[in-house]
mmCIF file of all heavy atoms in Angstrom:
data_model
loop_
_atom_site.group_PDB
_atom_site.id
_atom_site.type_symbol
_atom_site.label_atom_id
_atom_site.label_comp_id
_atom_site.label_asym_id
_atom_site.label_seq_id
_atom_site.Cartn_x
_atom_site.Cartn_y
_atom_site.Cartn_z
ATOM 1 N N ARG A 30 4.128 10.847 -16.522
ATOM 2 C CA ARG A 30 2.938 10.056 -16.348
ATOM 3 C C ARG A 30 3.193 8.612 -16.007
ATOM 4 O O ARG A 30 2.364 7.799 -15.688
ATOM 5 C CB ARG A 30 2.032 10.010 -17.712
ATOM 6 C CG ARG A 30 2.774 9.292 -18.903
ATOM 7 C CD ARG A 30 1.789 9.286 -20.041
ATOM 8 N NE ARG A 30 2.484 8.736 -21.262
ATOM 9 C CZ ARG A 30 1.904 7.984 -22.192
ATOM 10 N NH1 ARG A 30 0.541 7.721 -22.046
ATOM 11 N NH2 ARG A 30 2.557 7.596 -23.232
ATOM 12 N N THR A 31 4.461 8.223 -16.015
ATOM 13 C CA THR A 31 4.860 6.856 -15.744
ATOM 14 C C THR A 31 5.160 6.654 -14.260
ATOM 15 O O THR A 31 5.982 7.451 -13.681
ATOM 16 C CB THR A 31 6.093 6.451 -16.584
ATOM 17 O OG1 THR A 31 5.783 6.562 -17.972
ATOM 18 C CG2 THR A 31 6.477 4.958 -16.292
ATOM 19 N N GLN A 34 4.046 1.081 -11.268
ATOM 20 C CA GLN A 34 3.243 0.059 -11.851
ATOM 21 C C GLN A 34 3.133 0.320 -13.393
ATOM 22 O O GLN A 34 2.426 1.238 -13.799
ATOM 23 C CB GLN A 34 1.848 0.004 -11.143
ATOM 24 C CG GLN A 34 0.741 -0.732 -11.927
ATOM 25 C CD GLN A 34 1.006 -2.252 -12.151
ATOM 26 O OE1 GLN A 34 1.924 -2.648 -12.912
ATOM 27 N NE2 GLN A 34 0.244 -3.101 -11.498
ATOM 28 N N VAL A 37 -0.296 -0.177 -15.975
ATOM 29 C CA VAL A 37 -1.272 0.852 -16.193
ATOM 30 C C VAL A 37 -0.549 2.145 -16.504
ATOM 31 O O VAL A 37 0.301 2.599 -15.801
ATOM 32 C CB VAL A 37 -2.153 0.998 -14.977
ATOM 33 C CG1 VAL A 37 -3.132 2.204 -15.135
ATOM 34 C CG2 VAL A 37 -2.925 -0.258 -14.680
ATOM 35 N N GLN A 51 -1.439 25.438 -4.109
ATOM 36 C CA GLN A 51 -2.100 26.322 -5.012
ATOM 37 C C GLN A 51 -2.056 25.845 -6.411
ATOM 38 O O GLN A 51 -2.966 26.035 -7.233
ATOM 39 C CB GLN A 51 -1.598 27.760 -4.876
ATOM 40 C CG GLN A 51 -1.950 28.455 -3.558
ATOM 41 C CD GLN A 51 -3.498 28.419 -3.358
ATOM 42 O OE1 GLN A 51 -4.240 28.725 -4.250
ATOM 43 N NE2 GLN A 51 -3.883 28.099 -2.069
ATOM 44 N N GLY A 122 14.879 10.358 17.437
ATOM 45 C CA GLY A 122 14.487 9.217 18.227
ATOM 46 C C GLY A 122 13.191 8.712 17.947
ATOM 47 O O GLY A 122 12.511 8.177 18.862
ATOM 48 N N LEU A 126 5.037 4.956 11.051
ATOM 49 C CA LEU A 126 4.429 3.682 10.897
ATOM 50 C C LEU A 126 4.300 3.329 9.455
ATOM 51 O O LEU A 126 3.316 3.337 8.811
ATOM 52 C CB LEU A 126 3.017 3.754 11.507
ATOM 53 C CG LEU A 126 2.371 2.280 11.799
ATOM 54 C CD1 LEU A 126 3.234 1.397 12.678
ATOM 55 C CD2 LEU A 126 1.005 2.517 12.415
ATOM 56 N N GLY A 142 -5.113 3.260 4.299
ATOM 57 C CA GLY A 142 -5.138 2.570 5.550
ATOM 58 C C GLY A 142 -3.806 2.463 6.162
ATOM 59 O O GLY A 142 -3.572 2.867 7.295
ATOM 60 N N GLN A 172 -8.488 22.690 5.281
ATOM 61 C CA GLN A 172 -7.712 22.207 6.429
ATOM 62 C C GLN A 172 -8.611 21.270 7.248
ATOM 63 O O GLN A 172 -9.620 21.736 7.806
ATOM 64 C CB GLN A 172 -7.165 23.300 7.316
ATOM 65 C CG GLN A 172 -6.393 24.381 6.562
ATOM 66 C CD GLN A 172 -5.055 23.846 6.087
ATOM 67 O OE1 GLN A 172 -4.448 23.000 6.786
ATOM 68 N NE2 GLN A 172 -4.557 24.259 4.933
ATOM 69 N N LEU A 181 -15.413 14.449 6.174
ATOM 70 C CA LEU A 181 -14.434 14.406 5.143
ATOM 71 C C LEU A 181 -13.159 13.772 5.674
ATOM 72 O O LEU A 181 -12.471 12.946 5.010
ATOM 73 C CB LEU A 181 -14.143 15.846 4.602
ATOM 74 C CG LEU A 181 -13.081 15.875 3.468
ATOM 75 C CD1 LEU A 181 -13.409 15.095 2.289
ATOM 76 C CD2 LEU A 181 -12.936 17.360 3.042
ATOM 77 N N VAL A 205 10.110 4.714 18.678
ATOM 78 C CA VAL A 205 10.822 3.486 18.329
ATOM 79 C C VAL A 205 12.148 3.857 17.681
ATOM 80 O O VAL A 205 12.226 4.599 16.711
ATOM 81 C CB VAL A 205 10.036 2.586 17.316
ATOM 82 C CG1 VAL A 205 10.814 1.420 16.910
ATOM 83 C CG2 VAL A 205 8.707 2.211 17.975
ATOM 84 N N ARG A 258 19.850 -18.905 -5.397
ATOM 85 C CA ARG A 258 19.750 -18.803 -6.810
ATOM 86 C C ARG A 258 18.863 -19.893 -7.404
ATOM 87 O O ARG A 258 19.137 -21.034 -7.301
ATOM 88 C CB ARG A 258 21.156 -18.852 -7.412
ATOM 89 C CG ARG A 258 22.019 -17.608 -7.088
ATOM 90 C CD ARG A 258 23.432 -17.772 -7.608
ATOM 91 N NE ARG A 258 24.285 -16.809 -7.002
ATOM 92 C CZ ARG A 258 25.635 -16.887 -7.071
ATOM 93 N NH1 ARG A 258 26.233 -17.889 -7.760
ATOM 94 N NH2 ARG A 258 26.422 -15.976 -6.485
ATOM 95 N N GLU A 277 14.499 -13.971 20.173
ATOM 96 C CA GLU A 277 15.145 -15.257 19.926
ATOM 97 C C GLU A 277 14.286 -16.377 20.430
ATOM 98 O O GLU A 277 14.057 -17.444 19.744
ATOM 99 C CB GLU A 277 16.580 -15.292 20.646
ATOM 100 C CG GLU A 277 17.587 -14.406 19.951
ATOM 101 C CD GLU A 277 18.277 -15.144 18.809
ATOM 102 O OE1 GLU A 277 18.108 -16.379 18.712
ATOM 103 O OE2 GLU A 277 18.912 -14.449 17.978
ATOM 104 N N ARG A 278 13.757 -16.242 21.557
ATOM 105 C CA ARG A 278 12.921 -17.302 22.205
ATOM 106 C C ARG A 278 11.691 -17.574 21.433
ATOM 107 O O ARG A 278 11.248 -18.643 21.154
ATOM 108 C CB ARG A 278 12.674 -16.940 23.641
ATOM 109 C CG ARG A 278 11.664 -17.901 24.390
ATOM 110 C CD ARG A 278 11.467 -17.507 25.793
ATOM 111 N NE ARG A 278 11.013 -16.088 25.866
ATOM 112 C CZ ARG A 278 9.761 -15.657 25.646
ATOM 113 N NH1 ARG A 278 8.817 -16.561 25.347
ATOM 114 N NH2 ARG A 278 9.402 -14.396 25.769
ATOM 115 N N ASP A 318 -4.043 -9.375 -6.609
ATOM 116 C CA ASP A 318 -5.279 -9.326 -5.916
ATOM 117 C C ASP A 318 -4.957 -9.663 -4.460
ATOM 118 O O ASP A 318 -3.849 -10.095 -4.175
ATOM 119 C CB ASP A 318 -6.317 -10.216 -6.540
ATOM 120 C CG ASP A 318 -7.744 -9.732 -6.255
ATOM 121 O OD1 ASP A 318 -7.871 -8.808 -5.403
ATOM 122 O OD2 ASP A 318 -8.641 -10.213 -6.870
ATOM 123 N N LEU A 322 -8.504 -12.353 5.491
ATOM 124 C CA LEU A 322 -8.959 -13.682 5.972
ATOM 125 C C LEU A 322 -9.239 -13.681 7.438
ATOM 126 O O LEU A 322 -8.511 -13.121 8.266
ATOM 127 C CB LEU A 322 -7.869 -14.693 5.700
ATOM 128 C CG LEU A 322 -7.266 -14.755 4.346
ATOM 129 C CD1 LEU A 322 -6.114 -15.722 4.258
ATOM 130 C CD2 LEU A 322 -8.319 -14.996 3.219
ATOM 131 N N SER A 331 -2.009 -25.372 2.421
ATOM 132 C CA SER A 331 -1.680 -26.416 1.496
ATOM 133 C C SER A 331 -2.460 -26.177 0.145
ATOM 134 O O SER A 331 -1.952 -26.422 -0.916
ATOM 135 C CB SER A 331 -2.085 -27.809 2.009
ATOM 136 O OG SER A 331 -1.268 -28.122 3.157
ATOM 137 N N ALA A 336 -2.493 -24.455 -5.569
ATOM 138 C CA ALA A 336 -3.053 -23.541 -6.620
ATOM 139 C C ALA A 336 -2.030 -22.702 -7.294
ATOM 140 O O ALA A 336 -2.066 -22.496 -8.530
ATOM 141 C CB ALA A 336 -4.149 -22.734 -5.952
ATOM 142 N N ALA A 337 -1.062 -22.159 -6.481
ATOM 143 C CA ALA A 337 -0.178 -21.158 -7.051
ATOM 144 C C ALA A 337 1.204 -21.226 -6.479
ATOM 145 O O ALA A 337 1.939 -20.304 -6.387
ATOM 146 C CB ALA A 337 -0.775 -19.786 -6.809
ATOM 147 N N VAL A 437 -20.203 6.361 -0.132
ATOM 148 C CA VAL A 437 -20.775 6.810 -1.396
ATOM 149 C C VAL A 437 -21.779 8.000 -1.179
ATOM 150 O O VAL A 437 -21.934 8.804 -2.082
ATOM 151 C CB VAL A 437 -21.434 5.665 -2.192
ATOM 152 C CG1 VAL A 437 -20.422 4.635 -2.619
ATOM 153 C CG2 VAL A 437 -22.560 4.971 -1.375
ATOM 154 N N TYR A 443 -19.215 15.699 -1.645
ATOM 155 C CA TYR A 443 -17.965 16.332 -1.939
ATOM 156 C C TYR A 443 -17.466 16.223 -3.388
ATOM 157 O O TYR A 443 -16.732 17.026 -3.834
ATOM 158 C CB TYR A 443 -16.806 15.775 -1.013
ATOM 159 C CG TYR A 443 -16.979 16.189 0.398
ATOM 160 C CD1 TYR A 443 -17.532 15.320 1.323
ATOM 161 C CD2 TYR A 443 -16.655 17.431 0.841
ATOM 162 C CE1 TYR A 443 -17.738 15.587 2.680
ATOM 163 C CE2 TYR A 443 -16.778 17.766 2.210
ATOM 164 C CZ TYR A 443 -17.358 16.863 3.076
ATOM 165 O OH TYR A 443 -17.478 17.254 4.407
ATOM 166 N N ASN A 452 -9.249 5.915 -10.151
ATOM 167 C CA ASN A 452 -8.731 5.286 -8.934
ATOM 168 C C ASN A 452 -9.586 4.151 -8.558
ATOM 169 O O ASN A 452 -10.395 3.609 -9.381
ATOM 170 C CB ASN A 452 -8.893 6.436 -7.816
ATOM 171 C CG ASN A 452 -10.320 7.053 -7.820
ATOM 172 O OD1 ASN A 452 -11.298 6.509 -8.189
ATOM 173 N ND2 ASN A 452 -10.367 8.324 -7.297
ATOM 174 N N PRO A 456 -18.340 5.522 -6.804
ATOM 175 C CA PRO A 456 -19.345 6.417 -7.559
ATOM 176 C C PRO A 456 -20.290 7.029 -6.554
ATOM 177 O O PRO A 456 -20.798 6.335 -5.566
ATOM 178 C CB PRO A 456 -20.008 5.478 -8.553
ATOM 179 C CG PRO A 456 -19.077 4.283 -8.668
ATOM 180 C CD PRO A 456 -18.427 4.147 -7.357
#
Side-chain angles (χ1 to χ4, degrees):
R30 68 177 173 144
T31 301
Q34 164 62 292
V37 175
Q51 289 305 317
L126 195 57
Q172 304 292 326
L181 183 56
V205 174
R258 295 174 193 166
E277 287 276 343
R278 175 181 53 79
D318 207 346
L322 310 177
S331 294
V437 295
Y443 291 100
N452 49 28

